[in-house]
Structures are given as C-alpha cells and as structure tokens.
Amino acid sequence: MSPRVLTAWWAERSDPARIELYTRCTFYFFAAIGSLATSVIALSEGSRPVGILVTGLSLCHAALVGFACAQALDWALGTRPRPTRPLSAVAAVTGLHAVLVLSLIGAGALPSDRAGVLTATVPVVTGLMALTVNLRQVHRILTLCCGTAAVGGGLALAVTQDPRLMVLFSWTVLTAGVSIAFTSRFSTWMLAVVWELDVARDTQARLAVAEERLRFSRDLHDVLGRNLSVVALKSELAVQLAQRGPEGQRAALAQMTEVQEIARDSQREVREVVRGYRTAGLENELAGARGVLVSAGIDCEISAEPGAELPKPVQAALGWVVREGTTNVLRHADASNCAIRLRTDEETRTAHLTISNNGVTDGVRGRRDSDQGGGSGLAGLRERLAVLGGSLRTETQPGGGTFQLRAEVPLDGAADAPGTGTRPRTPGGDDAGHREMDGGGDPEDSAEASGEPGAGSGGTAAEPAAPPVGRRPAEARSGGTERESGAS
C-alpha cells in the first residue's frame, strides 16, 4: 500500500476540516491520558480489587467525556442542539468518581499523598474540559471552576478529615481546571472562527460571480434595451400598416427595412460588447486575478520580469490565460497560494506565462486531466494561442499537489496573426459575422453572453468548487454563528 493511499483521508480534507479533526483528537487525547494516569496510579498504589474498580470507572468516565466533547463541539458549530444529557452524565460520573476515590483514600485503600490526590483530581479536571465547551461567558467558566474546587475541597475534608488533603485537592482542581477550561474554550472558539472564515471565502467568491454577471447584463441592457424597444414598436406599426391596402403595405415595407437595419446595428453593437469583454488588457487581468484570489483567501504572488513591451494581441491572449487560470484555481482546487510569473525571452522572442497553485487533490487532478483532453476552457485557450503560434501546457507535480499552467507566445507571431482580437477572424468578412449572430454563432460568444461563468473560457470570477471532503454545510455554520452570539 502506497503512502499516498494511507494519507488520502487527510489530504482530501479541507483546511477547516483538518483543524476540526485535530481539535477533536486533542479532546479525546486529554480524556484518554487522564484515564490512563488514574488507572496506572490506582493499580500500582492500591490493591487489585481497588485498582480494577477505579480503572473501570475511569474508562467509563473517559469514554463519556469524549462523547460529550464531540456533542458539545457539534453544538458550538451549530449542527446539533445543546447536549444537555451527555453533559449532565459527565457531571454525575465525575462526582461519583471523586467521591469513590476520596472514600478509598479516607479508608486507607489508596495513599493520601500526591499520587492519591491525582487519582481523585484528574477525572474532575477532564470533566471540566467537557463542561466548559458548553459555556460562552468567561465569568461562568470561572464560577464553574471555583465552585468545583470549593465543593471538591469540602468533600475531601468531610471524607478524609485531612485539611492538607483538602487544600491540595482544591488547589489542584482550581489551577488545572482553569487552565484546561480556557484552553478547551479557546480551541472551540478558534474552530468556529475558522469555519466562519471559510464561509466568508465562499461568499466572497460567489459575490464576485454575481458582480460580474450584473456588469455584463448591465452592458447588454444598455446596448439592446433601446434598440429592442424600437424594433417592437416598428413591428407593431408595420402590422397595422399592412392591413390598410397597397399604400399601407409599402409603408409597412419601409418600416420593416428600418427594423432590419436596427437589427444589424444591434448585432454589431453586441459583437463589440462581447469583444470588448473578451479583450481586457494583461495588466487589468493581472490586477483582477489578484483581487479575486485575495478575496477568496488565496495568497497571490505576481512577478513580471522587465522586458520589451508586449504586442496587444499577445497581451490579450495572455490575459485570457490569466483569466482561465484564475478560474481553474477557484473552481478546481482548495488552494492557499497561487503564483503568476511573466517573463520575456529576448533570444527566442517569446513571452512565457506560468500560473502555479497548490491544493490539488486526486479528484481535482482527474478533472484537470479530463479538461486537458476535451474541456472547453483549456481547449479554447489552445485555440487562441495557436492563432499567434503559441502553445499551452499543463503539469501536475506528483505527490506535491501543485498544478502548473504554462503558456508560450512568440512576439513576432502577433504581427502575422489575422486581426488583433483573441480569436481568428470569421471567414467571409463582416457579412459572415452577421450570419454568425443570426445563426448558431460562436459557441463561446453565446456562452459568455449568457453570463454563465463556467461557459466558454470563463471570466475572472467563477463559481466556487464543490466543498472538499469534510467541509460543513454553510447553513449549519451560519446557524453556529447565531448560537455563538445568543447562547450563554
């Protein structure tokens, strides 16, 4: 079995899910280590029946504390109601364990030194760990710890009649209990904050998509709104004129001729909007990529070596590589950092653009391999670069979870390219362009005009990927926020 298979359960989890798993295992570890310490002392210092009795009760207490901690964490994250019964059971079993051990110390079955005190206090401290996860306010945590220390000290004095043991018991419970209580409470708070930040990251990415859709729809509305209104009015007028005899039919024909001219003007204006949307400059695309990635919680490093000014067709083509690469990072990876590097080789007169990101899992790697073969995004980029004599390559580093997108475009090939746009000119000139708009049209134009971020080559903002394995639903986590602010 390969190491990758053994670690797949960890690698497939998102960062918040990993932190949550680590937090839960920490609580389980403290519960287990407390039970182990109590059992070892009881078996080594007391008789065999006493050791077995204390060990059995300690194991039951540890299991109950672990279960209660898991339930309390789920409540803190908003995925279940408050676990009142498990926490009440923890309090009851903790008190029973303390009474039993203090009684055995008073009867001489266990020593009254520090080892005996640890046997009695360690379960109390781990019980406080589970109970404080359920609390929010600091003064209530302090009240619980101080009250437990006072009650435990009084119980120790009543059972053993030893003031020294009372002081030692109370002091141990107070200091250790306050420390582990605030540690567990801070860990729970930090876990909730991490999940809320993950929700904010998804929300920002979705807002970026919505903003881009609104911008494009606003441009289309401004271009087509008036023209379509005029087309509707003139069409109605032509229908009415056609019903008035030969003179009216000639007037209707004139109106429909104007409708045809308006329709052709609308086609031209829509084509200009689409082309303007698709030919953003490289500098603007780099700035937009940085903004989108940073808003999604991804560290973005952009470096460009000084060199000759890139021709406009090369800038437009590389701008589309930046746009598609940014979309892939957002949609197909759980990335934490992304690096974009641009350099110009003066000897070969070639511009090189590299986009690399981490956070690539096995499932993501499979989707990207399929994109390499037939996906519309990377295939569209290859077509755009091929017009300029360029090439596009992808590389996934084995075992590292790093994906690289490399584009090379010759600077001299831009002058020989047909037109200055980012795609080849439609054969047949302007009339062919009209036929393109009238008929099925360019599939990428149609996809982008619809506002769908995943169609065609995509925009700088794209729909976030499906949550990685272990990611909690946003609704559950938003519910956790309400509980966080409203709970005691």
Side-chain angles (χ1 to χ4, degrees), residues 144 183 207 339 409 451 485:
L144 176 63
T183 300
L207 287 177
V409 182
S485 59

Side-chain angles (χ1 to χ4, degrees), residues 332-409:
H332 299 314
D334 189 24
S336 61
N337 61 75
C338 177
I340 303 176
R341 292 180 173 83
L342 174 65
R343 65 182 181 89
T344 303
D345 191 345
E346 294 295 338
E347 295 182 0
T348 60
R349 297 286 297 166
T350 305
H352 300 267
L353 178 67
T354 303
I355 303 176
S356 59
N357 63 275
N358 65 348
V360 179
T361 60
D362 289 338
V364 171
R365 187 176 296 112
R367 290 197 299 271
R368 284 192 167 176
D369 291 340
S370 64
D371 285 347
Q372 186 173 355
S376 60
L378 296 182
L381 283 182
R382 289 188 175 90
E383 293 175 0
R384 298 177 192 276
L385 297 181
V387 174
L388 304 177
S391 62
L392 184 72
R393 292 181 298 171
T394 60
E395 179 182 355
T396 303
Q397 296 182 0
T402 301
F403 182 83
Q404 286 190 348
L405 182 67
R406 298 179 180 178
E408 298 179 2
V409 182

Side-chain angles (χ1 to χ4, degrees), residues 131-179:
L131 295 174
T132 52
V133 175
N134 192 48
L135 299 178
R136 293 287 183 260
Q137 300 178 358
V138 174
H139 72 274
R140 295 197 174 187
I141 297 177
L142 291 175
T143 300
L144 176 63
C145 295
C146 294
T148 303
V151 172
L155 182 62
L157 181 62
V159 174
T160 63
Q161 303 296 322
D162 187 353
R164 183 186 62 86
L165 184 62
M166 177 196 70
V167 173
L168 188 59
F169 184 93
S170 299
W171 176 252
T172 303
V173 170
L174 182 62
T175 55
V178 169
S179 299

Side-chain angles (χ1 to χ4, degrees), residues 46-295:
S47 60
R48 184 174 182 180
V50 170
I52 293 175
L53 177 62
V54 174
T55 298
L57 188 57
S58 298
L59 292 176
C60 293
H61 181 267
L64 187 57
V65 167
F67 176 74
C69 285
Q71 298 281 307
L73 276 176
D74 289 339
W75 172 80
L77 297 175
T79 59
R80 67 170 62 248
R82 185 191 294 267
T84 304
R85 292 184 178 179
L87 294 175
S88 300
V90 168
V93 175
T94 300
L96 176 62
H97 190 283
V99 170
L100 174 63
V101 174
L102 289 175
S103 300
L104 292 175
I105 293 176
L110 288 175
S112 59
D113 55 4
R114 293 183 178 179
V117 173
L118 287 177
T119 307
T121 56
V122 168
V124 176
V125 172
T126 56
L128 287 174
M129 175 184 68
L131 295 174
T132 52
V133 175
N134 192 48
L135 299 178
R136 293 287 183 260
Q137 300 178 358
V138 174
H139 72 274
R140 295 197 174 187
I141 297 177
L142 291 175
T143 300
L144 176 63
C145 295
C146 294
T148 303
V151 172
L155 182 62
L157 181 62
V159 174
T160 63
Q161 303 296 322
D162 187 353
R164 183 186 62 86
L165 184 62
M166 177 196 70
V167 173
L168 188 59
F169 184 93
S170 299
W171 176 252
T172 303
V173 170
L174 182 62
T175 55
V178 169
S179 299
I180 199 168
F182 278 97
T183 300
S184 61
R185 183 66 195 93
F186 176 78
S187 299
T188 305
W189 170 81
M190 182 179 67
L191 179 60
V193 169
V194 168
W195 276 117
E196 292 304 323
L197 290 176
D198 191 63
V199 173
R201 171 183 171 179
D202 292 341
T203 302
Q204 287 178 342
R206 296 180 186 278
L207 287 177
V209 174
E211 182 179 357
E212 185 68 8
R213 285 175 172 172
L214 288 175
R215 187 200 69 81
F216 193 73
S217 63
R218 182 172 59 249
D219 290 346
L220 287 179
H221 176 271
D222 294 340
V223 170
L224 293 180
R226 181 186 64 85
N227 291 351
L228 290 179
S229 299
V230 174
V231 167
L233 291 175
K234 286 186 174 294
S235 299
E236 294 177 0
L237 179 59
V239 171
Q240 295 177 3
L241 292 174
Q243 299 174 356
R244 298 180 181 179
E247 293 294 332
Q249 291 177 0
R250 283 193 293 269
L253 179 60
Q255 293 293 330
M256 292 308 298
T257 301
E258 294 182 9
V259 168
Q260 184 181 19
E261 293 177 355
I262 294 174
R264 290 190 180 277
D265 291 340
S266 299
Q267 293 171 1
R268 176 182 52 81
E269 292 174 354
V270 170
R271 194 180 305 114
E272 290 176 354
V273 169
V274 173
R275 286 176 178 172
Y277 176 72
R278 297 174 62 178
T279 56
L282 178 58
E283 183 178 356
N284 294 335
E285 288 297 332
L286 291 174
R290 183 193 298 274
V292 171
L293 292 175
V294 171
S295 68

